[in-house]
Amino acid sequence: MGGHLLPAGGDVLLNSTGTGTIGRSSVFDGHGKFIVDSHVTLLRPQNKKIDPRWLNELLRNPRFQRHLEANCYTGSTNQLELSRSQLMKSAVPTPTHEEQVIIASALRALDTQIQKTEALIAKLEKVKEGLLHDLLTRGIDENGRLRPSPEQAPEFYKESPLGLIPISWGVVRVDELAENHDGQRVPLKKSERKNGIYPYYGASGIIDWVEDYLFDGHYVLLGEDGENVVSRNLPLAFAVSGKFWVNNHAHIYSARDDSDPRFLVEVLEQKDYSRWVNGSAQPKITQASLRMMWFCKPLLDEQVAISNRLEGISQRISREKVAVAKKKTKKSGLMDDLLTGRVRVTPLLDQAQATTPA
């Protein structure tokens, strides 16, 4: 293995090549023998002078990333290379080793909070996915509990075009769940849109703001065409309220009196449209195809109960996403302040020294 770089604990590894990956860094904490290849720059901090975790945070700082991009990258857009000689010429504000440790610890604490919150969001989304399947196949009984499964209580279910469903449920076409308003849609070219306060919706959400509106009320939009009809990377069905305009790339529905709009969103979103999609270059779900599909329809009270249960966990997920976004914003601002010296950590350092046993 002669001639190869062998990383040691506390080394900082900096990705040196590739669009989208160049500039990424991490602290090497591994044990055993490893080899660093030519696509990675190994930085070994000077003992007792540079804290590796502080150095890693410095490299990840957006301000330093912009410096790397402007001064240390060479080559074409598709094959960028890090100039190690230019990197070593980079001058950065360097606090004392004690301050570096405090800065790194503060930023790492925020990282830990962010990671825990993101893990909680992932867990809640898995719970919602399972709950959604159960609620849309088993529903909620008169006592507010999830019905036993067909295997546990077959007497509660009946055969239908959708398979086994609760006895009290109906199986209907979309027109029995909602009224279609596609005939009122008016697409606007970019040149025809005048900037205003009303959202202009397309297949996957708001694409512009305009000075007038076509609809006013509570509606459900379902993407009609485009790549997302197949990939489902974004929600295909979503609720829209208030005054808005919609183009001809989204079907528009309003729930009927015996349908809950939130339930309508869920049954439209969970539907598998793969066998109904027309076209390859521009995949499309036509209104005619939608009218041929079957959908489950519990009684209104049960629709409301199902929607309330799903809304509760959705709101929890939304709150956690807001919390993690705030933490990331806080970390970004704190990182820039601490790593540039605009905010000193002297009070924290004094506190740490005061609590350290003699």
Side-chain angles (χ1 to χ4, degrees):
M1 298 198 309
H4 292 291
L5 289 175
L6 304 177
D11 287 347
V12 177
L13 306 180
L14 178 62
N15 196 306
S16 305
T17 63
T19 302
T21 57
I22 190 170
R24 294 181 181 176
S25 67
S26 65
V27 178
F28 180 75
D29 287 326
H31 300 283
K33 292 184 178 181
F34 297 87
I35 294 175
V36 173
D37 71 13
S38 59
H39 299 289
V40 175
T41 296
L42 188 151
L43 301 173
R44 183 158 292 162
Q46 295 180 17
N47 191 32
K48 300 300 182 183
K49 290 185 179 181
I50 301 297
D51 180 77
R53 301 193 185 281
W54 171 85
L55 178 58
N56 185 50
E57 294 292 352
L58 177 71
L59 293 171
R60 294 166 59 188
N61 182 23
R63 185 185 295 268
F64 193 79
Q65 287 287 312
R66 290 193 295 270
H67 165 77
L68 289 176
E69 185 175 350
N71 301 287
C72 301
Y73 294 167
T74 62
S76 63
T77 302
N78 294 326
Q79 191 53 45
L80 292 174
E81 298 278 348
L82 175 69
S83 170
R84 292 174 173 82
S85 60
Q86 289 299 114
L87 174 65
M88 300 313 293
K89 292 178 183 177
S90 301
V92 295
T94 308
T96 65
H97 185 267
E98 290 176 302
E99 285 183 278
Q100 293 174 32
V101 172
I102 294 291
I103 290 171
S105 296
L107 295 176
R108 190 161 64 250
L110 279 172
D111 269 337
T112 300
Q113 292 177 24
I114 290 168
Q115 290 164 5
K116 287 182 177 179
T117 307
E118 288 177 334
L120 175 60
I121 291 170
K123 181 179 179 180
L124 289 171
E125 287 179 335
K126 282 289 185 184
V127 170
K128 180 184 176 181
E129 184 180 341
L131 179 63
L132 187 59
H133 174 268
D134 288 343
L135 289 174
L136 294 183
T137 56
R138 295 159 57 183
I140 295 176
D141 64 20
E142 62 276 7
N143 298 313
R145 295 191 294 264
L146 191 67
R147 280 192 186 84
S149 68
E151 293 77 18
Q152 296 169 320
E155 67 275 14
F156 292 165
Y157 295 85
K158 64 183 180 182
E159 290 287 349
S160 80
L162 295 173
L164 288 174
I165 62 170
I167 288 176
S168 61
W169 289 19
V171 175
V172 300
R173 305 294 189 183
V174 69
D175 287 341
E176 293 183 57
L177 281 170
E179 181 180 357
N180 182 272
H181 303 278
D182 285 2
Q184 297 171 249
R185 302 177 301 180
V186 179
L188 294 175
K189 297 177 182 177
K190 183 70 175 177
S191 59
E192 297 174 327
R193 299 177 212 157
K194 295 182 179 179
N195 189 49
I197 62 172
Y198 302 110
Y200 180 74
Y201 284 92
S204 300
I206 297 172
I207 57 175
D208 208 346
W209 296 83
V210 293
E211 67 173 3
D212 203 355
Y213 62 92
L214 290 175
F215 299 93
D216 183 6
H218 302 286
Y219 294 87
V220 174
L221 301 186
L222 177 71
E224 179 174 345
D225 53 26
E227 182 270 340
N228 190 53
V229 166
V230 176
S231 70
R232 305 294 291 268
N233 289 326
L234 296 170
L236 199 60
F238 49 97
V240 177
S241 296
K243 298 174 181 178
F244 62 95
W245 197 296
V246 62
N247 66 19
N248 58 352
H249 296 289
H251 297 294
I252 179 165
Y253 289 96
S254 59
R256 296 199 180 277
D257 291 342
D258 59 352
S259 295
D260 185 289
R262 299 168 300 167
F263 182 80
L264 177 62
V265 171
E266 298 298 345
V267 294
L268 289 175
E269 176 63 21
Q270 294 307 308
K271 190 71 174 177
D272 180 4
Y273 297 98
S274 56
R275 62 175 287 218
W276 303 98
V277 172
N278 298 318
S280 54
Q282 180 71 349
K284 184 171 185 175
I285 304 171
T286 66
Q287 193 178 136
S289 293
L290 283 166
R291 286 184 169 138
M292 295 173 65
M293 301 177 196
W294 292 109
F295 296 88
C296 64
K297 187 177 183 181
L299 296 174
L300 180 57
D301 286 348
E302 189 172 351
Q303 292 180 39
V304 171
I306 290 171
S307 300
N308 287 343
R309 187 77 62 88
L310 290 171
E311 192 170 69
I313 192 167
S314 294
Q315 289 176 347
R316 173 77 188 280
I317 292 171
S318 295
R319 288 195 300 269
E320 297 300 339
K321 286 183 176 180
V322 169
V324 81
K326 288 181 178 178
K327 289 171 185 173
K328 286 181 177 180
T329 300
K330 180 180 179 181
K331 187 200 170 185
S332 179
L334 183 62
M335 178 190 293
D336 201 49
D337 287 342
L338 293 177
L339 294 175
T340 58
R342 281 201 301 269
V343 173
R344 299 300 300 274
V345 295
T346 307
L348 293 174
L349 184 58
D350 291 342
Q351 180 181 348
Q353 291 173 337
T355 57
T356 301

